[in-house]
Amino acid sequence: MNDVINGFLKEKKVRNFRQQKNFVYFRWMALLVVIPLFFLVSDCPRTEKSFWITFALAILYNGFQTFLVLSKISKNWIKKFVGVAFYFDIVFICTFSYILNGIDSDIYILMFFVIAYYGFGKDVSSTINISIFSIILYTVSSFLVKADNIEQLNILKLVLRDFFILLVSYGVSIVILKVKKYDEMHKREFKLARTDKLTGLANRHMLEQKLEEEALYCEYSKKPLNILMFDIDNFKKFNDTYGHVWGDKLLSLFGDIIMQSIRETDFAFRYGGEEFMIIIRDLDLEKAKSVGDRIRRLLEKQNLFAEEGTSKGKVTVSCGVAQFPTHSDDIKKVVDYADRALYYAKEMGKNIVISYDEIGKLRQVVQTDMDAYVSK
């Protein structure tokens, strides 16, 4: 289990670090290669000193951001900073545009990449906001360049460039909407593939993934994880007596009872047939058993009706409970132990909740009673 956990964490860290490196490479390439090239091909009527001072400030700022991204500082704080950083990128680009003679320089093209990069990691409204910010700042910087001789400003060219920025924003927004639509469809398909249609609970396809995730959570939170296995008593007899339609209604009813009895942080599965499983975090064994017992009592109180006034009688359920890592540090063995406890609950007469560590105690009690009966 530790190998699985370590592998999972390592893969996640590598993936996140790769994304962060790509972000850093993109910024440094733009700063150290692209911007100096624009300077070289520009007439640059303003002093070179202005350009290199701004360039040095951009390098210092970029170095500070690189340090934050690749450091172990809170990832939530870094995400917020990176979001604001794109706006600072626009400020630097517009400053370089001002130094390189405003609309007579094509350096404004870099804003397209910033808007696109920012937009793909955000939503449509965020993309529109940064685009409007870019248009306003670029327009102001262009007017400032021609402040002494405003009639020389090519208004049509400025409007076209602002329109191009807006066009990029529109294109990025379309891509974002398409990606979100695809993600939603994928999520729906993913959910349908891992959801039991009859009860609405997760099915066994989802179980293995959740077991690993919850064991990982338990490993690092140092809190227990409980596995509850349920099996509806005499379900085959009920099915044979009242038919599959009522058998399905019973399964659906029990699924509803489970969902009403657990927390949002717990997970419920239809394990197969009339068997169900619940994964419960952060509770000690006795409290986990009480959850199982509450579900058992709720089902026992139900009366099923084929039609008004025609009772189908009461139905009961048995439950076995095991705990990770108390009973084993292998999550699959814990599932097996919960199943063994369930099987023993059936042997004990059904309609009962038994934990794995109670099996030996109960067997000893039964054996003592038998020995006492024989001695008489």
Side-chain angles (χ1 to χ4, degrees):
M1 189 62 206
N2 288 332
D3 292 339
V4 172
I5 292 169
N6 292 334
F8 179 81
L9 281 178
K10 186 177 180 180
E11 182 182 349
K12 186 175 181 180
K13 286 179 180 178
V14 169
R15 185 168 60 250
N16 290 338
F17 188 70
R18 190 182 299 119
Q19 292 174 349
Q20 292 167 357
K21 282 200 302 183
N22 289 338
F23 172 75
V24 169
Y25 289 157
F26 170 79
R27 293 179 57 79
W28 280 108
M29 182 187 70
L31 181 60
L32 297 180
V33 179
V34 180
I35 290 176
L37 287 175
F38 275 108
F39 174 74
L40 290 174
V41 299
S42 172
D43 294 335
C44 195
R46 302 176 193 283
T47 62
E48 291 186 13
K49 184 179 178 181
S50 300
F51 175 87
W52 291 114
I53 289 174
T54 306
F55 188 74
L57 289 173
I59 286 178
L60 289 173
Y61 170 73
N62 212 43
F64 174 67
Q65 188 172 355
T66 301
F67 168 75
L68 289 178
V69 170
L70 300 182
S71 68
K72 295 182 179 180
I73 297 174
S74 170
K75 299 302 178 185
N76 291 330
W77 192 88
I78 289 175
K79 284 181 180 179
K80 291 179 182 178
F81 177 82
V82 168
V84 176
F86 283 98
Y87 282 86
F88 279 104
D89 291 342
I90 297 296
V91 171
F92 275 114
I93 292 170
C94 288
T95 304
F96 282 121
S97 176
Y98 170 76
I99 294 170
L100 301 179
N101 210 25
I103 62 172
D104 291 330
S105 171
D106 292 327
I107 199 170
Y108 84 103
I109 293 172
L110 289 178
M111 285 193 285
F112 297 167
F113 296 97
V114 174
I115 292 169
Y117 206 109
Y118 178 81
F120 290 145
K122 297 288 183 178
D123 52 24
V124 173
S125 61
S126 299
T127 305
I128 292 172
N129 289 339
I130 196 171
S131 300
I132 293 172
F133 178 80
S134 302
I135 289 170
I136 292 172
L137 208 61
Y138 181 67
T139 302
V140 170
S141 66
S142 298
F143 269 99
L144 288 175
V145 170
K146 302 295 182 180
D148 296 334
N149 199 0
I150 200 71
E151 64 274 5
Q152 291 185 358
L153 178 65
N154 190 333
I155 300 295
L156 179 60
K157 190 174 184 179
L158 178 60
V159 170
L160 283 174
R161 291 196 167 184
D162 287 341
F163 174 73
F164 291 154
I165 294 172
L166 206 59
L167 200 62
V168 170
S169 173
Y170 175 73
V172 171
S173 298
I174 289 176
V175 174
I176 292 172
L177 291 173
K178 290 286 186 184
V179 169
K180 282 196 170 183
K181 184 178 179 181
Y182 173 80
D183 283 345
E184 287 172 3
M185 289 175 60
H186 181 69
K187 285 177 182 177
R188 282 199 298 270
E189 291 174 359
F190 182 86
K191 186 177 180 181
L192 287 172
R194 286 159 176 76
T195 302
D196 177 61
K197 293 180 181 179
L198 180 62
T199 62
L201 304 180
N203 59 24
R204 290 189 70 165
H205 291 291
M206 191 69 176
L207 178 60
E208 287 191 13
Q209 178 186 339
K210 275 299 171 188
L211 282 173
E212 287 189 7
E213 289 176 0
E214 292 304 295
L216 178 66
Y217 168 83
C218 175
E219 184 85 8
Y220 285 89
S221 67
K222 305 301 180 184
K223 295 180 179 179
L225 186 70
N226 301 281
I227 304 295
L228 280 66
M229 294 280 288
F230 294 86
D231 186 274
I232 297 175
D233 298 327
N234 305 314
F235 180 75
K236 185 178 184 304
K237 182 179 178 182
F238 182 92
N239 236 2
D240 293 341
T241 304
Y242 302 111
H244 291 288
V245 172
W246 271 98
D248 289 348
K249 287 183 179 181
L250 174 57
L251 293 172
S252 180
L253 171 66
F254 188 60
D256 291 339
I257 290 173
I258 288 176
M259 291 306 297
Q260 292 167 12
S261 304
I262 62 176
R263 305 165 301 177
E264 290 185 0
T265 53
D266 303 327
F267 299 93
F269 305 84
R270 185 180 177 191
Y271 196 64
E274 66 273 24
E275 288 188 310
F276 295 78
M277 180 191 289
I278 304 176
I279 300 176
I280 298 181
R281 292 178 172 183
D282 305 341
L283 292 184
D284 61 41
L285 193 58
E286 288 304 314
K287 288 182 180 178
K289 280 184 62 181
S290 70
V291 174
D293 198 56
R294 181 167 68 247
I295 292 170
R296 180 194 65 78
R297 284 185 277 107
L298 284 172
L299 180 63
E300 189 179 24
K301 290 178 182 178
Q302 301 296 317
N303 283 312
L304 303 177
F305 297 89
E307 57 188 36
E308 190 175 349
T310 307
S311 175
K312 294 300 178 193
K314 293 183 178 181
V315 179
T316 61
V317 67
S318 301
C319 176
V321 185
Q323 191 176 79
F324 174 91
T326 307
H327 296 138
S328 175
D329 59 0
D330 184 335
I331 191 64
K332 292 184 179 179
K333 284 186 178 180
V334 175
V335 173
D336 181 56
Y337 292 161
D339 195 45
R340 291 187 195 180
L342 171 61
Y343 181 78
Y344 194 72
K346 293 283 190 180
E347 284 187 340
M348 290 294 293
K350 305 176 182 177
N351 194 23
I352 190 174
V353 179
I354 292 179
S355 64
Y356 178 71
D357 55 7
E358 288 180 311
I359 295 176
K361 296 175 185 177
L362 290 171
R363 279 180 175 162
Q364 188 175 2
V365 170
V366 171
Q367 186 63 44
T368 302
D369 290 343
M370 288 181 65
D371 292 343
Y373 176 77
V374 171
S375 64
K376 289 181 181 180

